[in-house]
Amino acid sequence: MLMTKERRPPIRTPRGWAISVLQEAGAIRECEEHGWMQDRADPHARERAFDIARRDSPADVAPEEAVAEIRDVLDSIGDTCPECPPEAD
């Protein structure tokens, strides 16, 4: 039986591609109420995202550039939603 790899839908920007990869790897999630991206601070998920970037970067993008885009997106995302009230300790 012939097995095919499911292809990701085309993403128009490098940032959009990086966000898609980070979500797929489980490194970030979206605030259900407000839609902001949140860093899950999961080192294993981050490493999966970097592995995907090295192995399966978009066409015409060098793996090093893909890894840099993943890093840039992670650096721009916090671990809390700016619109959600702070959790009480």
Side-chain angles (χ1 to χ4, degrees):
M1 176 196 270
L2 179 63
M3 299 294 287
T4 60
K5 181 179 175 185
E6 182 179 328
R7 300 287 303 174
R8 286 183 205 87
I11 304 292
R12 296 189 187 275
T13 67
R15 182 175 176 80
W17 172 84
I19 289 170
S20 174
V21 168
L22 287 163
Q23 285 178 312
E24 178 182 323
I28 62 174
R29 65 187 169 110
E30 187 175 331
C31 171
E32 293 178 10
E33 191 171 335
H34 303 106
W36 289 91
M37 289 293 131
Q38 296 172 283
D39 187 342
R40 293 190 56 239
D42 179 343
H44 301 290
R46 284 175 169 231
E47 192 54 40
R48 280 191 302 272
F50 286 120
D51 287 343
I52 291 169
R54 287 183 201 101
R55 235 185 23 248
D56 194 18
S57 59
D60 301 329
V61 175
E64 300 81 25
E65 293 173 11
V67 167
E69 192 64 41
I70 295 284
R71 189 169 286 113
D72 288 347
V73 169
L74 283 171
D75 289 346
S76 72
I77 295 175
D79 60 352
T80 59
C81 171
E83 293 185 47
C84 288
E87 294 182 17
D89 291 334

